[in-house]
Amino acid sequence: MLSAPPQGIPLPGRRLECERLTALMSDIAAGSGGALVFHGDAGIGKSALVRFGVAEAIV
């Protein structure tokens, strides 16, 4: 289940990306490898998604 975005990390309209990132983290925790590439124009939230992923990994 997807947790709420960490405090101070705005992720409006990024539910699908957060779900995919959370699923990848679960797969990694279960022993499956994986890779993820963030790309796109400046200011679309790539860094916020990375911070979300780091916060999910710590939990």
Side-chain angles (χ1 to χ4, degrees), residues 13-59:
R14 295 291 184 203
R15 181 175 176 85
L16 179 59
E17 291 87 348
C18 289
E19 288 173 348
R20 289 183 177 170
L21 184 53
T22 301
L24 179 63
M25 295 292 194
S26 295
D27 291 346
I28 291 169
S32 297
L36 186 64
V37 175
F38 292 92
H39 66 92
D41 295 330
I44 65 167
K46 297 179 299 291
S47 295
L49 284 169
V50 170
R51 286 191 300 268
F52 173 83
V54 168
E56 287 293 299
I58 292 171
V59 174

